[in-house]
Amino acid sequence: MEWTRSPGAHNVPVVTGAAFRPGTSTDLLRSVIEPGRQSFELADDAYGVRRTRHVLVHHGPAELMAVHDSVPAGTLRSLWHFDPALAVVSREAGVVVLGDGSGFRVTLPQFPGEGQGIRPGMVSPGYLRTAEVVTVVSPAAPAVVTVIVPGTASVTASPLTVHTEGGPVTLPPPYDRPAQR
């Protein structure tokens, strides 16, 4: 299945208007692994321009993953595919909240958030199998910050501050609001 090796099948930044070059290696530039967190910096030239991804994973009572994708020229869109059991609960101002029937939630704010999209996607849960999923697509920008906060509404009930190159951005908790229809 050629699709499983394509960028559209993964949670990756896709450079807009550029052709993907299969077989391009990704370099692990930096990694730090500590008891409560891990961070990684990766880069490649798979689109003919250097794309860089910084990842921070924080463990503990306030679990989250923050990802900063960037390109030095042009724009990119970050793709995020979620478990088939998750559906959109709410969406507003660059924040998507997904959930399942048990009350589990995944909150995904993106910066910039204006132009964020939701579309049907697909994942491969096993050999020669596919499943339809919700895919969140960031707006096209030279740099995108995505934060993924798993858990129930009580885990994400306080404001979230993300420090970007343009300064800190504080996001109030929209998670207790009813789903938009």
Side-chain angles (χ1 to χ4, degrees):
M1 254 178 140
E2 191 64 30
W3 168 80
T4 59
R5 293 192 308 249
S6 75
H10 301 276
N11 295 328
V12 295
V14 175
V15 178
T16 53
F20 177 68
R21 300 182 311 184
T24 305
S25 64
T26 299
D27 297 322
L28 175 61
L29 304 176
R30 218 173 324 238
S31 68
V32 177
I33 299 175
E34 299 171 348
R37 67 182 218 134
Q38 297 138 31
S39 63
F40 307 93
E41 181 181 357
L42 306 117
D44 67 34
D45 299 310
Y47 287 89
V49 63
R50 190 79 164 165
R51 66 179 178 163
T52 305
R53 173 167 269 192
H54 297 265
V55 179
L56 170 67
V57 178
H58 185 272
H59 302 287
E63 291 187 324
L64 66 82
M65 179 172 71
V67 178
H68 178 251
D69 294 319
S70 63
V71 289
T75 60
L76 59 77
R77 289 183 180 272
S78 295
L79 305 178
W80 294 96
H81 308 287
F82 289 90
D83 187 280
L86 298 175
V88 176
V89 172
S90 67
R91 176 185 180 196
E92 63 180 75
V95 180
V96 175
V97 178
L98 302 141
D100 65 11
S102 73
F104 178 80
R105 298 283 184 263
V106 175
T107 303
L108 184 142
Q110 288 184 312
F111 309 96
E114 184 70 30
Q116 179 186 56
I118 298 173
R119 69 177 191 211
M122 196 178 323
V123 295
S124 178
Y127 183 68
L128 295 178
R129 295 184 309 151
T130 59
E132 290 185 15
V133 296
V134 172
T135 298
V136 178
V137 182
S138 76
V144 174
V145 174
T146 304
V147 180
I148 298 175
V149 183
T152 61
S154 63
V155 173
T156 58
S158 60
L160 174 67
T161 300
V162 176
H163 296 274
T164 67
E165 291 176 4
V169 177
T170 300
L171 183 70
Y175 321 120
D176 297 327
R177 297 179 190 151
Q180 295 179 345
R181 301 207 194 286

